Amino acid sequence: MAFDRPVLRRTGGLMFWRLLGSGRGASTTLGADLRRWALLAVWRDERALEEFLARSPIPARWRREAVEAWHVRLAPIASRGRWNGVEPFTPVSRLPGPPGRAGSHATAGPEDGPVAVLTRASIRPSRLVAFYRSVPAVERWLRAQEGCLASVGLGEWPLARQATFSLWRDAAAVRAFAYAGRAHREVVERVRAHDWYSEELFARFIPYASVGTWDGADPLAGRRTAKWSAQ
């Protein structure tokens, strides 16, 4: 990951990026999985992404060395907060066309199918113990959700800069996790009451293309409901 940073800084069309390590569990944990990591990237357009995938030495090395890889394309539909002082995601009113097919767009809305959720926070040092004590109850509630297709805990730094990425059957499943469970509601209330975070971000996306596998399968396989039509 460290060797990738100079290359990513020079990559054309790459507007925002973060290299992220991962926890061992489905959400934020104290342990780290040193074999699993992620690149979060915001691109100027599909052409810039295609150029990166075809010509950059970074994805070439992924293809050479990875035991497993999964790649998803996401269109932001809602975002609030900042990441290191930046607002990286601009919500879109329609989805891009499928990869390799110009002049098309998706007519599906956010209620029509799978939703991806990204949360990220910088945790105040004085609140680290309280934060990690709250994780097990929220993780148990997350594992109980039938509407959660996949989730992973991510991080820029050990302990203090944490993120989660999750895939959901639909927007109703996201709402059920956020509001129906006591454990999650109580943590959110404590975060607000005791000012746990110095910075936070919450974003929702529509996944419109994916390739590869995550723990042996593509969690979005057979679930995409967007309808493509020519402009």
Side-chain angles (χ1 to χ4, degrees), residues 178-198:
Y179 303 115
R182 178 179 176 183
H184 187 263
R185 288 200 319 272
E186 287 181 349
V187 169
V188 171
E189 291 168 1
R190 292 169 63 195
V191 166
R192 300 290 178 259
H194 301 289
D195 197 22
W196 285 7
Y197 304 149
S198 60

Side-chain angles (χ1 to χ4, degrees), residues 3 9 27 32-33 35 57 64 86 126 129 138 159 163 165 172 184 216 226:
F3 291 118
R9 292 189 188 104
S27 65
D33 185 343
R35 298 177 62 234
R64 228 176 22 248
V86 175
S126 62
V129 172
V138 175
L159 301 180
F165 177 78
H184 187 263

Side-chain angles (χ1 to χ4, degrees), residues 90-176:
T90 301
V92 298
S93 57
R94 63 186 180 188
L95 307 188
R101 179 175 165 186
S104 61
H105 67 280
T107 58
E111 300 293 333
D112 296 325
V115 175
V117 174
L118 175 71
T119 66
R120 183 264 178 186
S122 291
I123 308 161
R124 298 186 190 278
S126 62
R127 299 292 184 259
L128 283 171
V129 172
F131 174 85
Y132 281 102
R133 281 178 176 169
S134 73
V135 167
V138 175
E139 188 168 358
R140 286 192 296 270
W141 176 240
L142 177 64
R143 289 198 300 265
Q145 303 305 299
E146 293 183 359
C148 184
L149 307 177
S151 67
V152 63
L154 302 167
E156 295 171 90
W157 290 2
L159 301 180
R161 291 189 178 179
Q162 297 298 315
T164 63
F165 177 78
S166 53
L167 294 166
W168 300 83
R169 181 185 59 222
D170 50 33
V174 177
R175 290 192 293 269

Side-chain angles (χ1 to χ4, degrees), residues 8-39:
L8 290 169
R9 292 189 188 104
R10 298 192 300 269
T11 298
L14 184 53
M15 302 170 64
F16 179 90
W17 57 271
R18 288 294 183 271
L19 287 164
L20 303 165
S22 78
R24 292 195 184 101
S27 65
T28 304
T29 64
L30 285 171
D33 185 343
L34 300 181
R35 298 177 62 234
R36 183 176 67 170
W37 53 276
L39 170 65

